[in-house]
Amino acid sequence: MSEDKKIINDNEEIKAEDTINEEINNKGVLDVSTEEAVEDNEGESELVEENKSENEEIVKNEVVEEKTAKTKLKKIKNTKSIIAMAIVGCICLGAGFTYGKSVGRTLPATSRKYSSSKIVATVGDTKFTGEQLRQKMDPLFYINGKTKLSDEEIDAYESSFIDYMTTTEVLYLEGKAEGITVEKEDVENEYSTLISSLQQTYNLTEDDLINKLNISKEDIEKELEKELIAVEYIGKASEVTEEEAEKYYNNNKDEFLKVRASHILISNTDDEGNTVSDEQKAKNKEEAEKILKQAQQGVDFAQLAKEYSSDSSSENGGDLDFFSKGQMVEPFENAAFSLKNGEIYPEVVETDYGYHIIKKTDEKYDEFSTVKEDLVYYLGYEKQSNILDNLLEKYNVEVK
């Protein structure tokens, strides 16, 4: 793949994903199924999060694959579910607690005391106590083993668990009000699956697990039932039809526009990737403006790109193929999308990579069929967010 993809601005997508993730957490949504206890080379454990952006580590000159309007919706791809299909303190994180005990730990490096008489949150008349929070936090401390957590880190985990408890509760209550029920067999199957997984991982009997986690089978099944009802409710309430997705597509057609452009790059970095001096930048800009004038006077653009462009796209006459909004750095994107087919941008465009002469060569819209799946998912996420906002207000959720 050519180096012309250097001008793709992946950082903008990362910011979009981070904004979505922050918004989800602020609304009380915690996908704890993506936090797993894993053992490292020294037998210690740490939490790993699958929902971290795949683009978290960016190298300046990284070659990035071209994105489409379909993957433009990637910011919500990893939001797997509005709530988790797991028991927070007693199953997923409880595995870390069990592991900590099994290797002889009596106390983790970090701990915090919780009072059973303290109310940490309320959902209507339902009260969540410090003891319930302790059941979720203690396993976390054991998972981290000898790694000491800062007060800020502990506060963040506490906030996430409280958000999880209140979110599950409001979805469960609304599901019950809507008449949603789950079969006892489904609850038992979920219980068996979770216990079986822990037995295989830690080589403990069911009784050992129940005793070490300090929670009864009945309590586990009760929480599982709540989660199953909550999931069933939010799944039905946020369902998006193909007709809804197509209506959104037709009303927001510009979001799916792609343009094709060619460019000539006069680079402001040397062969070793270092930024050139201000004096050299001035010379580069002067050269770029001379090339722009030639292009405006009718000199073949592709030939100019092959002769002057420092980008490897010069081999193809500067052609960058089709791209969507959000793929290119902002100055380049703004220029390219402002042009008509066959038009050359009237000024030299400066980016971090250098000076560009830009010509738009074509445009097209992604077909609905190619974006339908992601669009349905995206609109479903929007519905879930709105539903949750309304329910948090309806059930008077308060975090103490």
Side-chain angles (χ1 to χ4, degrees):
M1 184 171 294
S2 67
E3 293 178 1
D4 54 61
K5 304 309 176 191
K6 289 190 300 182
I7 64 172
I8 295 176
N9 187 2
D10 242 24
N11 288 323
E12 292 301 316
E13 183 175 345
I14 294 170
K15 290 176 184 176
E17 291 183 5
D18 288 344
T19 299
I20 292 297
N21 290 334
E22 181 179 357
E23 177 184 352
I24 292 170
N25 286 330
N26 288 338
K27 290 177 179 175
V29 181
L30 173 66
D31 188 352
V32 296
S33 62
T34 63
E35 296 186 340
E36 301 175 318
V38 293
E39 187 173 338
D40 66 16
N41 293 333
E42 297 179 356
E44 300 297 326
S45 300
E46 62 181 353
L47 285 177
V48 293
E49 300 175 5
E50 292 178 359
N51 281 357
K52 285 184 178 178
S53 168
E54 295 173 356
N55 300 318
E56 195 170 61
E57 295 187 14
I58 299 295
V59 179
K60 180 179 179 182
N61 293 323
E62 179 182 11
V63 177
V64 183
E65 291 185 3
E66 179 181 3
K67 301 175 181 67
T68 64
K70 178 178 179 181
T71 57
K72 176 172 175 276
L73 300 173
K74 181 184 172 187
K75 63 183 179 180
I76 47 83
K77 182 190 75 171
N78 289 325
T79 309
K80 297 179 181 177
S81 172
I82 199 85
I83 67 171
M85 286 295 294
I87 299 178
V88 184
C90 37
I91 295 298
C92 188
L93 296 182
F97 176 80
T98 303
Y99 172 74
K101 291 290 190 182
S102 70
V103 297
R105 292 189 195 132
T106 55
L107 286 174
T110 309
S111 62
R112 185 177 281 184
K113 295 188 182 224
Y114 299 94
S115 170
S116 59
S117 62
K118 181 178 179 180
I119 306 301
V120 296
T122 58
V123 178
D125 295 331
T126 303
K127 297 179 175 63
F128 293 95
T129 67
E131 169 61 20
Q132 289 168 289
L133 182 58
R134 181 198 64 77
Q135 290 178 352
K136 292 166 175 54
M137 290 298 296
D138 274 0
L140 179 72
F141 295 143
Y142 278 95
I143 283 176
N144 281 274
K146 297 177 182 179
T147 302
K148 185 171 179 59
L149 299 176
S150 67
D151 287 340
E152 291 77 12
E153 288 173 319
I154 296 174
D155 290 344
Y157 279 118
E158 287 179 351
S159 177
S160 292
F161 285 132
I162 292 171
D163 284 348
Y164 170 80
M165 291 188 289
T166 55
T167 297
T168 302
E169 185 71 15
V170 297
L171 294 174
Y172 163 72
L173 290 173
E174 192 68 9
K176 290 288 286 185
E178 293 290 326
I180 293 176
T181 60
V182 294
E183 299 294 331
K184 182 174 176 58
E185 181 182 358
D186 293 333
V187 177
E188 290 175 345
N189 287 339
E190 288 293 326
Y191 174 83
S192 297
T193 298
L194 291 169
I195 292 298
S196 175
S197 176
L198 288 177
Q199 285 177 315
Q200 292 177 16
T201 303
Y202 299 102
N203 195 29
L204 293 170
T205 67
E206 180 178 347
D207 288 340
D208 287 337
L209 288 169
I210 294 297
N211 291 334
K212 288 181 181 294
L213 298 176
N214 195 25
I215 186 170
S216 68
K217 176 180 178 181
E218 290 72 23
D219 285 341
I220 294 176
E221 288 185 335
K222 183 178 179 181
E223 192 159 352
L224 269 177
E225 181 183 13
K226 273 190 173 185
E227 291 184 341
L228 288 172
I229 289 174
V231 169
E232 181 72 13
Y233 163 72
I234 195 64
K236 288 183 176 181
S238 62
E239 186 176 359
V240 175
T241 66
E242 183 175 326
E243 289 73 22
E244 288 177 292
E246 189 165 12
K247 181 179 179 180
Y248 180 92
Y249 172 83
N250 289 329
N251 290 339
N252 299 274
K253 202 74 178 291
D254 285 348
E255 292 184 17
F256 306 97
L257 174 65
K258 300 171 75 172
V259 304
R260 186 169 192 165
S262 295
H263 80 138
I264 300 167
L265 172 65
I266 305 302
S267 179
N268 280 337
T269 57
D270 58 27
D271 293 339
E272 296 179 354
N274 300 313
T275 302
V276 299
S277 66
D278 290 343
E279 182 181 357
Q280 184 59 49
K281 278 186 180 180
K283 291 180 180 179
N284 289 348
K285 185 175 183 180
E286 184 178 348
E287 180 185 2
E289 289 174 341
K290 288 180 180 179
I291 297 169
L292 172 60
K293 283 185 180 180
Q294 293 184 62
Q296 291 172 326
Q297 292 169 356
V299 179
D300 183 70
F301 195 94
Q303 190 58 44
L304 289 172
K306 290 178 181 179
E307 184 174 353
Y308 294 108
S309 182
S310 58
D311 192 273
S312 61
S313 63
S314 61
E315 299 175 3
N316 299 317
D319 181 33
L320 296 173
D321 210 339
F322 286 97
F323 52 89
S324 311
K325 284 186 177 179
Q327 285 186 251
M328 302 296 186
V329 289
E330 189 173 356
F332 191 100
E333 175 185 293
N334 291 341
F337 275 84
S338 70
L339 297 171
K340 297 177 182 179
N341 284 348
E343 191 175 13
I344 297 172
Y345 195 72
E347 298 176 5
V348 168
V349 176
E350 182 179 3
T351 72
D352 289 341
Y353 304 102
Y355 297 105
H356 306 260
I357 297 94
I358 303 170
K359 179 179 181 179
K360 179 179 174 182
T361 57
D362 201 358
E363 68 177 39
K364 67 178 181 180
Y365 291 89
D366 273 322
E367 297 292 334
F368 173 68
S369 59
T370 66
V371 299
K372 179 177 67 175
E373 183 179 346
D374 288 297
L375 192 51
V376 165
Y377 195 78
Y378 170 75
L379 295 176
Y381 162 74
E382 292 292 322
K383 277 191 176 183
Q384 288 178 347
S385 296
N386 292 332
I387 289 168
L388 187 54
D389 280 340
N390 293 333
L391 291 181
L392 293 175
E393 182 176 353
K394 176 180 177 178
Y395 288 99
N396 193 27
V397 174
E398 293 185 14
V399 176
K400 307 296 183 179

